[in-house]
């Protein structure tokens, strides 16, 4: 079965030109059809489009930068999440995408509580809701299934100056994971939308090449050393990327 996907690209920085290839390399399966929408140019899928899955990328912008394309994008995300869940595509929102989705649905995004830019690997702690979510356990139909209540701890790469300070109030929206630097590392809207603050899709090399030089001036020597040390720790990115891939392609 041919599956259709949309990549909603929110990054217009020259140094990230062509970054859609990172996503295709990770998630494009044989027979998949992918369309790229340059959200920063006002491009969005038609409202009656039928997609299996949608990815919302990261961005160097902040949610509160008030770019001309942002209000239309927020409106589109509200429309998407006002649809009955059975009619919704799978949605995976990454970093800025996670923050922007929270904002669009009525949440608040602010500078990191510590006041510093977070760069490096971070230990993320999943809660019981994550352990029971189809993202982790596609076969777990019932949240009451006590066999899946163990907390999940994984280490992933992070790069953000902002984070979600307050989640939107929706019956189907649930916090799934937190870390020491960010309370909202991951949340879901029902069973079909997952939003993640971290960057499992990026490699250490890409972070060191494209992000580190840009933010180094904002960091103290101690923070620079901590970032370098955290880059050396073992990551769980491969396991998480497999979960994302299966989530996007599953019914």
């Amino acid at each position: 079965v041919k599956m259709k996907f949309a990549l909603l690209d929110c990054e217009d920085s020259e140094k990230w030109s062509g970054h859609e290839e990172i996503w295709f390399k990770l998630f494009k399966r044989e027979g998949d059809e992918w369309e790229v929408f340059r959200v920063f140019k006002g491009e969005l899928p038609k409202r009656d489009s039928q997609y299996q899955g949608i990815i919302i990328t990261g961005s160097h912008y902040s949610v509160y930068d008030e770019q001309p394309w942002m209000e239309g994008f927020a409106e589109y995300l509200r429309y998407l999440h006002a649809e009955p869940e059975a009619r919704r595509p799978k949605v995976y929102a990454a970093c800025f995408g996670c923050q922007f989705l929270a904002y669009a649905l009525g949440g608040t995004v602010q500078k990191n509580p510590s006041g510093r830019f977070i760069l490096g690997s971070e230990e993320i702690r999943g809660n019981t809701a994550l352990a029971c979510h189809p993202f982790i356990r596609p076969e777990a139909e019932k949240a009451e299934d006590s066999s899946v209540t163990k907390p999940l701890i994984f280490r992933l790469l992070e790069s953000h100056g902002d984070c979600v300070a307050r989640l939107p109030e929706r019956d189907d929206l649930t916090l799934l994971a937190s870390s020491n630097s960010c309370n909202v590392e991951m949340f879901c809207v029902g069973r079909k939308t997952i939003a993640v603050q971290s960057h499992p899709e990026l490699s250490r090399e890409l972070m060191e090449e494209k992000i580190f030089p840009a933010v180094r001036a904002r960091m103290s020597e101690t923070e620079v050393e901590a970032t370098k040390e955290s880059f050396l720790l073992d990551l769980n990115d491969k396991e998480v990327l497999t979960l994302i891939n299966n989530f996007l392609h599953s019914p």
Side-chain angles (χ1 to χ4, degrees), residues 3-247:
M3 290 187 174
K4 274 181 71 176
F5 294 86
L7 184 78
L8 306 189
D9 184 3
C10 305
E11 182 55 273
D12 64 356
S13 171
E14 189 55 42
K15 68 180 175 186
W16 288 106
S17 178
H19 76 121
E20 62 272 17
E21 290 302 324
I22 295 169
W23 297 99
F24 295 162
K25 204 170 160 188
L26 290 170
F27 301 128
K28 193 173 187 178
R29 294 183 182 177
E30 201 177 336
D32 282 359
E33 208 176 280
W34 284 76
E35 285 180 76
V36 178
F37 293 87
R38 310 285 178 207
V39 178
F40 52 82
K41 288 184 177 174
E43 296 175 9
L44 290 168
K46 288 193 176 75
R47 294 211 167 181
D48 56 358
S49 304
Q50 298 292 309
Y51 290 103
Q52 161 67 21
I54 290 175
I55 288 177
I56 308 168
T57 74
S59 178
H60 71 281
Y61 290 111
S62 288
V63 165
Y64 41 78
D65 278 346
E66 295 183 357
Q67 290 293 306
W69 49 271
M70 287 184 176
E71 205 33 61
F73 186 31
E75 224 167 84
Y76 173 74
L77 294 177
R78 285 192 285 271
Y79 150 77
L80 206 59
H81 290 86
E83 288 282 280
E85 189 167 64
R87 298 229 309 266
R88 275 186 238 158
K90 291 292 183 74
V91 176
Y92 176 76
C95 195
F96 169 85
C98 166
Q99 296 167 14
F100 197 84
L101 178 63
Y103 155 77
L105 299 180
T108 312
V109 175
Q110 293 171 350
K111 291 270 179 223
N112 292 332
S114 65
R116 59 191 185 86
F117 193 91
I118 304 295
L119 183 67
S121 70
E122 189 87 45
E123 186 180 90
I124 295 159
R125 296 178 297 277
N127 58 22
T128 305
L130 176 60
C132 299
H133 194 278
F135 178 73
I136 294 286
R137 303 277 299 228
E139 77 285 7
E141 288 302 317
K142 299 195 295 296
E144 305 81 52
D145 184 350
S146 58
S147 66
V148 293
T149 54
K150 65 178 195 304
L152 297 135
I153 297 175
F154 36 96
R155 182 168 285 278
L156 296 170
L157 293 173
E158 302 264 352
S159 167
H160 59 97
D162 303 330
C163 63
V164 178
R166 183 181 59 79
L167 281 168
E169 287 174 29
R170 265 178 78 117
D171 291 344
D172 60 351
L173 195 146
T174 311
L175 177 70
L176 297 179
S178 305
S179 70
N180 288 347
S181 66
C182 174
N183 185 46
V184 182
E185 280 287 353
M186 194 171 178
F187 69 88
C188 66
V189 185
R191 300 167 67 79
K192 286 192 163 181
T193 293
I194 291 279
V196 171
Q197 179 56 64
S198 56
H199 280 290
E201 81 283 1
L202 294 182
S203 63
R204 293 179 181 87
E205 292 73 25
L206 272 175
M207 282 209 164
E208 285 170 347
E209 176 199 336
K210 294 188 186 290
I211 300 173
F212 199 30
V215 299
R216 189 178 176 141
R218 296 188 233 172
M219 301 166 80
S220 68
E221 275 311 306
T222 316
E223 286 166 2
V224 166
E225 283 313 307
T227 289
K228 285 180 175 174
E229 281 173 28
S230 82
F231 275 149
L232 300 173
L233 299 168
D234 289 341
L235 300 173
N236 301 109
D237 52 345
K238 288 185 175 56
E239 300 96 301
V240 172
L241 289 168
T242 300
L243 291 171
I244 299 164
N245 203 341
N246 292 340
F247 169 75

